[in-house]
């Protein structure tokens, strides 16, 4: 199996180890004997999204989102066509915001997005910062996702737009309705940095399985020894739950 990962705007859209998601995908694919190519796509550079097997874009500060959103919009029809064709994609935080209809920055600038997710993002009061535990809607084992969030924007899903999961601890999309992220076909949008995939290997494999299914007709990922990854995952769940209990004054 050959895997072409398109990494969008790696120079500007990369916060809190987002690049680690690409490293995790590459290693997990190579451990299974796949050949992997990472194609960095910066603003203004040519890219043929018909060749993409998997798309990744990380988070960014408002000024970096403002710097790339027009280029992203220009590529909108091509990217949307790939996503509609079932190309798996992971969009973290600032990237997730730009897959919705629009993101309004803290300074009130409206950055139009691709409208792939039926969602929009407005600035909230202050920033949502901290560790997050999510119960995913995807059939993952373990079902929980762990990560770190730091965002000023609050995202609201329109009725009918599926979330990635429900918040167990942390703010997630908006700190009010209990949703986190969004899913449409094989596109996953989320506020979770971390890096996310190294300590959520089951989500990395979900994305790789979608890529394999698309290329070869069926997913048959060889299992890997995830002892260390799942240990990190369980540790993050436990630590976040403990801190949340302490913050809420419970258990004293
Ligand atoms: N600039 C956006 C916000 O603050 C996204 C931040 C991020 O990607 N971590 O909401």
């Amino acid at each position: 199996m050959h895997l072409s990962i398109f990494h969008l705007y790696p120079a500007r859209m990369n916060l809190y180890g987002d690049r680690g998601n690409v490293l995790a995908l590459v290693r997990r694919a190579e451990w299974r004997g796949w050949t992997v190519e990472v194609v960095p796509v910066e603003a203004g550079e040519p890219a043929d999204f018909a060749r993409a097997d998997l798309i990744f874009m990380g988070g960014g500060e408002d000024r970096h989102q403002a710097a790339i959103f027009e280029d992203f919009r220009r590529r909108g029809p091509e990217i949307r066509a790939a996503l509609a064709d079932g190309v798996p994609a992971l969009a973290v935080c600032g990237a997730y915001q730009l897959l919705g209809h629009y993101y309004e920055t803290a300074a009130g600038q409206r950055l139009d997005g691709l409208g792939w997710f039926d969602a929009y993002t407005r600035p909230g009061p202050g920033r949502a910062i901290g560790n997050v535990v999510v119960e995913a809607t995807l059939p993952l084992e373990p079902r929980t996702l762990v990560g770190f969030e730091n965002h000023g924007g609050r995202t609201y899903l329109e009725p009918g737009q599926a979330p990635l999961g429900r918040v167990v601890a942390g703010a997630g999309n908006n700190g009010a309705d209990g949703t986190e992220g969004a899913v449409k076909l094989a596109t996953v949008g989320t506020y979770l940095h971390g890096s996310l995939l190294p300590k959520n290997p089951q989500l990395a494999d979900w994305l790789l399985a979608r890529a394999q299914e698309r290329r070869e007709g069926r997913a048959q990922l060889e299992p890997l020894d995830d002892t260390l990854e799942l240990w990190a995952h369980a540790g993050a769940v436990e630590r976040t739950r403990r801190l949340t209990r302490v913050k809420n004054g419970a258990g004293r």
Side-chain angles (χ1 to χ4, degrees):
M1 164 87 192
H2 178 78
L3 184 76
S4 242
I5 302 178
F6 277 42
H7 185 177
L8 298 192
Y9 314 113
R12 289 191 174 107
M13 300 297 283
N14 176 38
L15 286 177
Y16 314 112
D18 285 339
R19 207 172 72 85
N21 292 308
V22 175
L23 298 179
L25 289 165
V26 169
R27 294 307 295 269
R28 297 184 73 79
E30 286 177 349
W31 282 334
R32 292 170 165 120
W34 299 11
T35 56
V36 186
E37 161 200 29
V38 178
V39 180
V41 181
E42 296 292 358
E45 289 177 357
D48 176 8
F49 282 86
R51 287 189 49 243
D53 297 307
L54 204 155
I55 298 172
F56 173 74
M57 181 167 156
E61 293 170 28
D62 285 8
R63 67 196 167 96
H64 288 146
Q65 288 170 279
I68 58 91
F69 89 100
E70 278 166 352
D71 185 89
F72 190 51
R73 287 267 300 172
R74 243 191 325 275
R75 300 178 196 271
E78 254 198 284
I79 295 174
R80 288 182 58 109
L83 301 180
D85 195 47
V87 173
L90 177 63
V92 176
C93 200
Y96 164 46
Q97 295 169 340
L98 291 178
L99 275 185
H101 296 294
Y102 67 88
Y103 167 52
E104 190 183 320
T105 67
Q109 186 186 1
R110 182 182 156 121
L111 310 181
D112 285 319
L114 298 197
W116 172 252
F117 289 132
D118 200 3
Y120 60 92
T121 305
R122 294 225 171 93
R127 301 186 68 79
I129 304 174
N131 293 321
V132 191
V133 177
V134 174
E135 185 90 17
T137 51
L138 298 174
L140 303 175
E141 181 51 46
R143 200 66 178 235
T144 44
L145 295 170
V146 294
F148 168 76
E149 64 183 338
N150 182 354
H151 50 108
R154 303 296 193 276
T155 299
Y156 299 90
L157 307 179
E158 298 288 4
Q161 171 61 62
L164 170 62
R166 306 215 60 87
V167 169
V168 177
N173 280 336
N174 51 56
D177 65 13
T179 64
E180 197 322 281
V183 180
K184 179 173 174 183
L185 297 181
T187 313
V188 174
T190 179
Y191 272 112
L192 303 192
H193 299 277
S195 308
L196 177 65
L197 296 182
K199 56 190 172 193
N200 296 280
Q202 77 284 32
L203 181 61
D205 280 359
W206 187 87
L207 293 164
L208 292 174
R210 302 291 77 74
Q212 189 180 36
E213 220 163 56
R214 212 174 136 264
R215 252 193 189 258
E216 298 185 340
R218 71 187 176 119
Q220 41 186 351
L221 293 187
E222 273 166 51
L224 299 174
D225 177 2
D226 283 330
T227 310
L228 280 178
E229 289 82 350
L230 294 175
W231 183 62
H233 180 100
V237 171
E238 181 46 36
R239 201 162 45 248
T240 304
R241 285 207 164 123
R242 208 169 48 230
L243 289 174
T244 309
R245 270 202 306 274
V246 170
K247 206 166 67 196
N248 293 341
R252 270 191 243 154

